[in-house]
Amino acid sequence: MTTPFPFTAVVGQDDLRLALLLNAVSPAVGGVLVRGEKGTAKSTAVRALSALLPEVPVVPGCRFSCDPASPDPGCPDGPHEAGGGAERPARMVELPVGASEDRLVGALDIERALSEGVKAFEPGLLADAHRGILYVDEVNLLHDHLVDLLLDAAAMGASYVEREGVSVRHAARFLLVGTMNPEEGELRPQLLDRFGLTVEVAASREPDQRVEVVRRRLAYDDDPAGFAARWAEEEAAVRARIVAARELLPSVRLGDGALRQIAATCAAFEVDGMRADIVMARTATALAAWAGRTDVLAEDVRQAALLALPHRRRRNPFDAPGLDEDKLDETLEEFGGSDDDDPDPDPGPDGPGGGGGQPEPDDAPQGDGDTAARPEAGEGGQPQPSGAGEQSAVRASEPFRTKVLSVPGIGEGAAGRRSRARTEHGRTTGARRPRGALTKLHLAATVQAAAPHQRARGRSGPGLVVRRDDLRQATREGREGNLVLFVVDASGSMAARQRMSAVKGAVLSLLLDAYQRRDKVGLVTFRGTDADVALPPTSSVDAAAARLETLPTGGRTPLAAGLLRAHDVLRVERLRDPARRPLVVLVTDGRATGGPEPVALAGRAARLFAADGVASVVVDCESGPVRLGLAGQLAGELGGTAVTLDELRADSIAGLVKDVQRRAA
């Protein structure tokens, strides 16, 4: 067994370590989401936590880890008698991003069903994780069908399996811990809210701290067991402190004053629902227990807010998570009246106030940390023009719900929510003989194929005699995510401020739609004399929205250059991810200027997409009483559909369910 890196040997990352320890003290806090760039010890810290957790008492032989003190009356391996039991180490179960549904929730034991003729349930990862940690690395890349199952289990504390004639319910209460790199895309709001706490991690910019990180990692790689032995005393001390905090937790008093502060803070930051209030209360209580106190202080409430609210105050997917600490302090001060019957708080082992045991960082950034990242602002808060003939970027208008744009036909790409596709997870539409390895057995079709041959095969017992030729693969249909490549005209003909604001609002709306449908997105812009790949294809819709916000306009309209650059992006992406079908969204008024024969060149470039069978939509941005219809002509060259900005709205009377499929009919 591999020796894990010691938890206490992790350098820095104070918020991350505190959040994990609070969940170890009180699993009811609800888990941790760790957001940050790659290489910041996210996975290392999470894997190290399991070694610190106290052992778990279980019923011997129970595959569902029932507590002998109060066994689950509905346990599939039960009924169990109370009392007795054995102890085992706490488990940390890892859920791979590419796991199957059967591996997560469990399934019918096919081998026993076919050989013995009995229905038996084979538990999945949710059963293994019961009363332990369920860890999902790169949780933002998890397939939607697995996210739905996790949401159900986390909400009900149980897993329900109804399939292939098997009906099973078992307890599934676990500490959900996920790590993610925001550059690769965001989480669905429902799953985001299921994480009790969130922390942002980043690599230290302090040379001495970075040196210590490298030194400890090299020492661990050279001799894992020896390195762990050197930290055994610190590990034992933290383990003992967790046990002591757990024992103290029921005695911690959450007074009315602290509750008022919690409720006022959640209301001030306009978080949805009541889960934030409950999580803050549990976190503040755990902070007090961790500090060795029996009373919750204002410092505990403040720390709880910093951990529990940042991911819940996002109003849309493009809002950066975070909390205005000045506003937080004002709210806590305004509602900071103490209870009349509150005793004077005793200082915990970490000093007066305790602060939940959270050390003060010694390298906190000074001033506004976003200043260096912003372009120099001009009048009205807009970036200043950076070149001749270029107009400053304008803000996007309010986004709206768009009509559904989809790719014609049936694909076989990554799971998503846009276009029809043959997928591993969806509704079963039939059965076929497997081509290659069998991945999803169609049990009824397999039994039907084998049944007529039982007498000829000499069957004598209850089991079914099945041969390779009898096996049938289930065919399923669901939805796939596509590559939505935005090609945006940023030339002078689009530069009227009100018009460009509407155009950006439309693209932002389509980006929101792409986020909800789990698409990859890319952004190509063209103006002046050339086209640029503003954002290569990525799962981070946030990055595309940020690039769109700072997009300047001006100059001629090199439409052909924009189309050729987009065609080249698709060619490269087809080699990287051939199963993901593209959808090109061209946002332009259809004008082409600059260079010899610009209109003819644009037409020839557009016909390349039609020849490759690439689905496309032209968003016609032409305005004014006299319209030339150039965008519609361009859509004809592309073999796609043209829609106006008004028709793009889901509530538009004009109706756009002429979706790209109408072109294919």
Side-chain angles (χ1 to χ4, degrees):
M1 183 176 177
T2 304
T3 303
F5 192 91
F7 186 86
T8 51
V10 174
V11 179
Q13 309 298 11
D14 296 327
D15 285 342
L16 169 58
R17 290 187 293 160
L18 178 62
L20 292 172
L21 289 169
L22 292 177
N23 276 275
V25 171
S26 175
V29 166
V32 187
L33 175 64
V34 189
R35 299 165 47 94
E37 59 198 24
K38 51 188 176 294
T40 49
K42 300 189 298 292
S43 300
T44 299
V46 174
R47 291 189 175 100
L49 176 67
S50 60
L52 296 177
L53 297 180
E55 291 192 333
V56 178
V58 295
V59 174
C62 178
R63 297 174 297 167
F64 301 89
S65 301
C66 279
D67 186 347
S70 56
D72 181 5
C75 175
D77 284 355
H80 305 298
E81 293 184 4
E87 291 193 342
R88 61 158 174 80
R91 287 178 184 161
M92 190 191 74
V93 177
E94 294 196 40
L95 172 61
V97 169
S100 67
E101 182 177 337
D102 290 347
R103 185 70 189 98
L104 178 62
V105 300
L108 176 69
D109 189 331
I110 299 296
E111 183 178 349
R112 292 189 63 190
L114 295 180
S115 62
E116 302 175 22
V118 298
K119 292 190 293 185
F121 180 69
E122 184 177 358
L125 295 177
L126 289 179
D128 292 342
H130 178 48
R131 303 178 67 206
I133 301 173
L134 182 62
Y135 171 51
V136 189
D137 194 12
E138 305 294 352
V139 64
N140 51 327
L141 303 182
L142 200 64
H143 287 176
D144 275 353
H145 68 284
L146 298 182
V147 170
D148 293 337
L149 294 170
L150 273 183
L151 288 173
D152 289 343
M156 297 183 290
S159 175
Y160 293 84
V161 183
E162 303 280 351
R163 58 178 59 191
E164 288 111 7
V166 173
S167 178
V168 174
R169 173 263 176 207
H170 66 83
R173 291 182 295 276
F174 46 81
L175 176 61
L176 182 61
V177 180
T179 60
M180 60 175 283
N181 184 347
E183 294 177 357
E184 296 172 334
E186 282 291 347
L187 275 178
R188 285 169 52 186
Q190 294 94 331
L191 182 57
L192 196 63
D193 191 49
R194 284 294 171 186
F195 287 97
L197 311 179
T198 186
V199 291
E200 295 277 342
V201 296
S204 172
R205 299 297 183 257
E206 174 58 44
D208 290 341
Q209 195 172 70
R210 295 175 74 97
V211 166
E212 187 61 24
V213 170
V214 175
R215 182 181 290 120
R216 293 186 187 182
R217 185 70 210 189
L218 293 178
Y220 171 77
D221 290 341
D222 289 341
D223 182 11
F227 183 82
R230 291 195 293 275
W231 289 89
E233 186 175 342
E234 288 84 350
E235 293 281 285
V238 172
R239 191 178 298 111
R241 188 174 175 186
I242 291 174
V243 173
R246 282 188 172 189
E247 294 174 352
L248 182 63
L249 189 64
S251 304
V252 175
R253 179 176 178 273
L254 182 66
D256 288 344
L259 278 173
R260 280 195 297 271
Q261 286 184 318
I262 290 170
T265 301
C266 292
F269 286 98
E270 300 179 350
V271 296
D272 294 330
M274 295 297 298
R275 184 173 286 117
D277 304 62
I278 296 170
V279 170
M280 272 190 66
R282 289 172 174 166
T283 305
T285 304
L287 280 161
W290 178 247
R293 289 184 272 99
T294 57
D295 288 284
V296 174
L297 306 182
E299 289 85 350
D300 300 323
V301 176
R302 186 181 193 279
Q303 184 66 57
L306 293 174
L307 293 172
L309 296 188
H311 61 303
R312 291 187 167 89
R313 61 162 296 277
R314 298 180 61 172
R315 309 314 298 172
N316 68 62
F318 304 140
D319 289 341
L323 218 59
D324 184 340
E325 295 194 32
D326 291 337
K327 182 178 179 180
L328 173 61
D329 291 335
E330 291 173 4
T331 304
L332 293 176
E333 184 177 353
E334 181 181 354
F335 292 88
S338 60
D339 300 323
D340 293 336
D341 56 345
D342 273 353
D344 291 335
D346 295 325
D350 293 309
Q358 173 66 6
E360 287 293 329
D362 56 5
D363 56 349
Q366 300 297 319
D368 185 355
D370 292 331
T371 303
R374 295 198 195 101
E376 189 168 338
E379 187 176 351
Q382 299 297 337
Q384 291 284 8
S386 58
E390 181 178 295
Q391 298 188 25
S392 61
V394 298
R395 293 187 181 277
S397 62
E398 283 298 313
F400 52 85
R401 188 166 65 89
T402 66
K403 295 281 188 177
V404 178
L405 306 175
S406 61
V407 178
I410 301 180
E412 296 182 350
R417 297 181 172 183
R418 184 170 297 278
S419 306
R420 292 175 59 200
R422 285 182 289 270
T423 62
E424 288 293 321
H425 311 282
R427 61 185 181 90
T428 300
T429 57
R432 60 173 174 80
R433 291 180 183 272
R435 295 191 292 267
L438 179 70
T439 57
K440 187 68 67 173
L441 179 72
H442 194 298
L443 184 60
T446 298
V447 172
Q448 187 176 8
H453 309 292
Q454 296 306 295
R455 180 175 296 178
R457 293 173 183 174
R459 172 183 168 184
S460 58
L464 197 67
V465 181
V466 179
R467 295 179 179 172
R468 173 72 186 178
D469 290 344
D470 300 327
L471 298 179
R472 294 294 183 268
Q473 172 85 27
T475 57
R476 299 189 173 191
E477 184 175 311
R479 292 279 168 176
E480 67 177 0
N482 297 111
L483 166 60
V484 182
L485 182 61
F486 293 93
V487 186
V488 179
D489 184 349
S491 64
S493 64
M494 304 280 288
R497 296 184 71 84
Q498 187 174 0
R499 183 179 178 192
M500 196 60 195
S501 177
V503 168
K504 284 189 175 183
V507 178
L508 188 64
S509 303
L510 289 166
L511 283 171
L512 277 166
D513 183 66
Y515 165 82
Q516 293 164 351
R517 299 184 188 281
R518 314 301 287 174
D519 294 315
K520 289 180 72 172
V521 297
L523 179 62
V524 173
T525 64
F526 57 94
R527 65 187 181 92
T529 60
D530 202 1
D532 295 313
V533 181
L535 184 72
T538 175
S539 296
S540 178
V541 179
D542 296 51
R547 301 291 171 87
L548 179 71
E549 187 69 24
T550 58
L551 177 66
T553 57
R556 293 182 178 274
T557 311
L559 179 56
L563 291 171
L564 291 173
R565 184 60 61 90
H567 188 268
D568 189 55
V569 169
L570 294 183
R571 178 184 60 80
V572 174
E573 194 64 20
R574 194 176 293 117
L575 298 174
R576 294 175 178 166
D577 191 359
R580 190 181 290 268
R581 297 186 296 164
L583 172 64
V584 173
V585 178
L586 176 59
V587 184
T588 182
D589 57 9
R591 290 182 172 84
T593 60
E597 300 183 342
V599 177
L601 282 174
R604 286 199 291 271
R607 286 191 288 274
L608 292 174
F609 292 87
D612 290 343
V614 175
S616 59
V617 174
V618 179
V619 180
D620 184 359
C621 302
E622 191 174 24
S623 60
V626 179
R627 296 174 180 263
L628 302 178
L630 298 176
Q633 297 174 23
L634 183 60
E637 300 277 8
L638 286 164
T641 303
V643 298
T644 65
L645 289 174
D646 288 337
E647 290 172 333
L648 194 61
R649 293 179 177 271
D651 54 359
S652 165
I653 301 176
L656 163 74
V657 197
K658 57 181 177 187
D659 169 13
V660 198
Q661 293 175 335
R662 241 170 99 176
R663 276 289 186 191

